[in-house]
Structure formats: C-alpha cells, structure tokens
Amino acid sequence: MGHITSKDAYKNLEERINWFTQGAPPSDSLYNILQVLYTETEAKWVSLLPVRPFTAKKAAKIWNISEGKAEAFLEHLCEKALLVDSYYNGVRQFVMPPPMAGFIEFALMRTRGDIDQKYLSELYYQYMNEEEDFVKDLFFATETHLGRVYVQEPILTNDNTIHILDYERASHIIEEATHIGLGTCYCRHKMLHAGHPCEINAPLDVCLTFGDVARSLAEHGQHARLIDKKEAMDVLERSYAANLVQIGENVREDPAFICNCCGCCCEALQAARKFSPMQPVATTNYIPKISKECVGCGKCEKVCPVLAISMPNNKEGKAVAQVDNEVCLGCGVCVRSCPKKAIELVRREVQVITPVNSTHRFVLQAIEKGTLQNLIFDNQAFANHRAMAAVLGVILKLPPLKQMMASKQFKSIYLDKLLSNKSAKGL
C-alpha cells in the first residue's frame, strides 16, 4: 500500500464511507474532517475494510499482515471510536460505525486531547450547518428515517398510557438494555466549540447509548461511561425538565442510542426548522390538541423545538395556540410547558410504522436509496451466509412494491426464485 498517496488514502476512505446506506457527500470540509480523525495510515487501512462485521483474522488477510498485528491495530481504532467491537458466539468482531449516528459524534462524546476538538467542531459546523448536502442526504434521501422521536411519558394521561406501545417508551428501552452508556451531547459540545452555545443552556451529560455500542465506547477510550438503569432514568428526567426532545434509532428492537435534543443545536431539529415541513425524523404517534382553556400566554410557542406552534388571533382578537400538524413531532414538550393544562396529546389518525430492527431499517433505506447491493456485496466479494440470510429474511417480509424494487437492484436468480416461491405459496 506504500504507493498510495495521502490524497488517495483519504479519497478512498470517503468512497468506503459512502458504501453505507447512509453516507457522507464528499467536500473539502469532509476531507479535512477525515484528516483530523484518521492518520494517513489509518485512512489507508480502514478504506479496505468490509461494510459488514469482520474478525481480526479477516482484517489480517485483507491487510496481508499477522493476525496479532491486525488485532492490535483494530484495538487502537476502537480506542479512537473509529470502530466498535462486539462478540458473536464468543468470537470478537469489529465494524466501522456509519458517519451518524456514529464516528462523527463519537469524536466529541468526551473531552480528549489527542485531537483538536475546537478545530474539528468548526469543521463539523461548516459541513453540517452551513453546507446542506450532508444533512439533506442524512435526513431526506430515504422515506425510512434514521431516527424517531419518543413521547415524553410523564405528560401522558391514563387514556394515552393504555394505548402506548412498549417500543414507544424511552423508559422501556432503558429497562431492556444489556448495557447503557452515558456520554457528552455531541451536538451541544460541537456548537459550544464553534461559538454557538446552547440557547437554553441544556445539560451536556445526557447522551445515551445502548448494547454493544455502549459497552465498546466505554471499554475502549472511555467515550461513554457505563451506568445503571436508575441513573439512566435520571438522565431522562433531567432531559424532560430541560424541555429536551428524545430522539432514538428508528427501530422497535434494541436501538443503539437515544439523544436528548434541543432545537438550537441538534442537526435533526435544525433540519426540521430549516426544511419545514419535510420531516427529518419519524414522529411519535401523538399530536397536541389545544383546548378552549388556552389563554394565549405563548409559552408553548417558545419551547417548541421545531417551531410548529404559532399564536394567531382568533375571531375575538385573542391570541391562541395553533399547531402545524405537518411539522409537529408529537414530543409533548409543549404539554409540559402549558400553565393552564390546555394542551393534551391525542393519538394520530395515521399511525407511524417503525422498522423492527437495524437490519430491517438498513434494508428499507438501501432499497429506497438504490444501494441494496452494498449490503449484499463488499468490494464484489459475496457475503457470508449469515449476513445474506439476515438481509434476505427482511426482504421476504416486505410489501410487494419494496420487494420489486429490491429485485431490480439486486439482480440475483436466487432472490428472484425466493420471491416467486413466496408468491406461489401465498406466504
């Protein structure tokens, strides 16, 4: 690999990152970001790694080095949060996290001295807050969203509580998690360094990760701190009190993260404001309903993170709250802020469909973006049977239109035969 120039190394890494369903559009800002996060050697070697989870043995073969040397280098990348590790049947595996939620955030989830976090934050601000390509690709390139909003449970009435599903509760996610990590809010940390501190002075220590992601970030480089369920619930309560919105991975089972977001710093909520009424995240299954008791104080308008509430005058010339249902996230922040209890959450008429798990979400997004083949193939090498089975298992459960799209993208006799057999059997 010695003949590869520094420029080639980072350009190859850019291409490798864009094998993800969620990529990162090339720009000078991204190039500079990668130079901060990766050394030239790291960029060269990481650009050769598979998209799917892999072992040290696999990496050693790709890099043509000993397995021991490969594992040491992979360990080093985990320490920098450029990779995360997990264990499958006792075998350690590694995977490169996507840009977001992934290695971009991990770099600012703790204070560290090995990189210039102020300079990196300024680059992030340029790439995500001033340039538009990354944000548009991240939040609007697919019908299936990366993230979804959780309703603030304490403000639900008894009637609402009867109908709320387990996966709609942030508290349920905490109760089910095998590991819980607590880190610094990347968004507010970034904005602070970039000279745009949080307008509501929201807490920084409220970023929650779960499962293997939490364990890996905590064990390698201390990018997160492992906490118990009681402390995690305290994080939720502090976030509710600060009028923050809970946004997690858009899956029903085992989400990797829940962020506690403010409208002034969070990229998703900023995108909701900037590109309204397009939705950057999946909403809750609730919507606010304003009662006649509204006195027009305007507190709900001030706390709405996506500016979905206005205060027009009614026929009597009195200011009353009005909700834009196309923009509203259904988070419930406005309900908590109302001094007259004139707002309640009611179920939306059309319910939001949430992907089952990460594989389900990846496949849906890949089909919608036209990159399904990248989940099946890595550098033209056929996937292993387990990864292939997971992807195909999701495809076989999709509606016919999505299956047809998948079949067109993935020209495989095997897939076509599976789909035709399914149709014939009426499964």
Side-chain angles (χ1 to χ4, degrees):
M1 293 183 286
H3 64 284
I4 298 177
T5 67
S6 175
K7 184 175 182 180
D8 286 339
Y10 290 104
K11 287 299 179 184
N12 289 344
L13 181 57
E14 279 185 357
E15 292 177 6
R16 163 64 182 78
I17 290 169
N18 281 291
W19 270 68
F20 285 113
T21 300
Q22 172 221 128
S27 77
D28 289 342
S29 298
L30 178 62
Y31 187 89
N32 292 332
I33 287 168
L34 296 180
Q35 283 187 308
V36 173
L37 296 178
Y38 296 81
T39 67
E40 183 180 337
T41 299
E42 290 165 356
K44 287 179 184 179
W45 286 29
V46 171
S47 68
L48 299 173
L49 293 174
V51 172
R52 303 181 318 278
F54 57 89
T55 62
K57 183 177 181 179
K58 175 72 172 178
K61 185 176 180 181
I62 292 171
W63 293 335
N64 195 27
I65 59 176
S66 70
E67 188 172 337
K69 185 175 180 181
E71 180 128 24
F73 192 71
L74 294 170
E75 180 77 24
H76 167 71
L77 293 172
C78 285
E79 292 289 328
K80 295 183 69 174
L82 298 175
L83 296 180
V84 293
D85 69 349
S86 62
Y87 292 85
Y88 180 76
N89 288 340
V91 178
R92 190 183 188 190
Q93 295 185 325
F94 303 86
V95 70
M96 181 182 178
M100 192 174 285
F103 69 83
I104 283 179
E105 283 127 319
F106 297 163
L108 292 179
M109 277 177 56
R110 69 172 176 89
T111 301
R112 50 194 288 197
D114 59 321
I115 58 175
D116 186 336
Q117 289 187 309
K118 184 177 189 307
Y119 174 57
L120 181 63
S121 297
E122 291 167 350
L123 290 174
Y124 281 172
Y125 186 84
Q126 171 68 30
Y127 188 54
M128 287 174 267
N129 295 79
E130 296 188 356
E131 300 172 18
E132 294 185 350
D133 288 349
F134 177 76
V135 167
K136 285 181 176 179
D137 184 75
L138 179 65
F139 295 120
F140 304 116
T142 58
E143 177 187 351
T144 301
H145 294 301
L146 165 66
R148 68 183 178 99
V149 179
Y150 291 83
V151 66
Q152 290 205 1
E153 296 170 50
I155 53 87
L156 293 177
T157 64
N158 288 337
D159 289 342
N160 293 144
T161 304
I162 291 171
H163 297 290
I164 189 170
L165 302 173
D166 279 346
Y167 69 83
E168 296 179 288
R169 303 173 184 265
S171 61
H172 175 74
I173 304 305
I174 288 172
E175 286 299 325
E176 294 292 305
T178 55
H179 300 89
I180 306 172
L182 179 63
T184 298
C185 170
Y186 140 82
C187 295
R188 288 188 282 282
H189 194 188
K190 175 198 76 174
M191 295 295 271
L192 180 64
H193 279 306
H196 305 276
C198 179
E199 295 171 5
I200 63 172
N201 197 29
L204 282 168
D205 58 333
V206 291
C207 181
L208 295 170
T209 49
F210 303 103
D212 273 322
V213 173
R215 180 201 50 74
S216 183
L217 290 174
E219 289 182 358
H220 311 295
Q222 297 182 325
H223 299 276
R225 175 174 63 85
L226 290 180
I227 61 174
D228 60 21
K229 294 172 183 179
K230 183 177 182 299
E231 186 172 356
M233 288 302 299
D234 178 64
V235 170
L236 273 188
E237 292 299 329
R238 289 191 289 114
S239 299
Y240 292 154
N243 288 325
L244 301 181
V245 180
Q246 289 66 54
I247 299 179
E249 184 183 3
N250 186 27
V251 295
R252 282 179 256 165
E253 299 174 356
D254 302 321
F257 66 90
I258 292 181
C259 300
N260 290 287
C261 307
C262 57
C264 52
C265 299
C266 169
E267 276 100 13
L269 300 184
Q270 282 285 304
R273 291 181 174 193
K274 188 173 184 178
F275 301 107
S276 174
M278 294 194 298
Q279 284 287 6
V281 291
T283 68
T284 73
N285 279 312
Y286 294 90
I287 200 79
K289 180 181 178 182
I290 312 295
S291 76
K292 294 180 181 179
E293 305 302 318
C294 175
V295 297
C297 68
K299 289 185 177 180
C300 57
E301 180 187 28
K302 291 178 182 177
V303 299
C304 179
V306 291
L307 311 180
I309 299 179
S310 57
M311 301 296 299
N313 290 333
N314 61 14
K315 294 179 181 179
E316 290 76 34
K318 172 189 171 185
V320 293
Q322 181 173 298
V323 179
D324 186 336
N325 290 354
E326 289 190 3
V327 178
C328 179
L329 302 174
C331 62
V333 168
C334 58
V335 179
R336 173 180 284 272
S337 73
C338 181
K340 297 296 182 179
K341 301 189 183 304
I343 311 175
E344 66 170 331
L345 289 185
V346 297
R347 295 286 287 189
R348 292 178 188 262
E349 291 184 6
V350 178
Q351 298 298 284
V352 179
I353 304 300
T354 304
V356 176
N357 52 34
S358 296
T359 302
H360 189 189
R361 177 174 66 80
F362 293 154
V363 171
L364 285 173
Q365 290 181 312
I367 290 172
E368 292 160 4
K369 202 171 183 181
T371 59
L372 180 64
Q373 64 277 6
N374 292 353
L375 288 179
I376 311 297
F377 298 95
D378 267 349
N379 300 325
Q380 307 307 312
F382 197 71
N384 64 48
H385 294 298
R386 187 165 61 85
M388 184 73 165
V391 173
L392 290 179
V394 171
I395 293 173
L396 291 173
K397 295 176 183 177
L398 294 177
L401 181 59
K402 295 283 189 186
Q403 289 185 354
M404 184 175 66
M405 293 170 66
S407 182
K408 286 182 178 179
Q409 292 174 36
F410 178 32
K411 297 295 184 181
S412 163
I413 296 174
Y414 177 45
L415 177 58
D416 286 340
K417 185 172 180 60
L418 276 176
L419 295 178
S420 63
N421 285 345
K422 179 192 172 192
S423 178
K425 293 178 180 178
L427 295 178

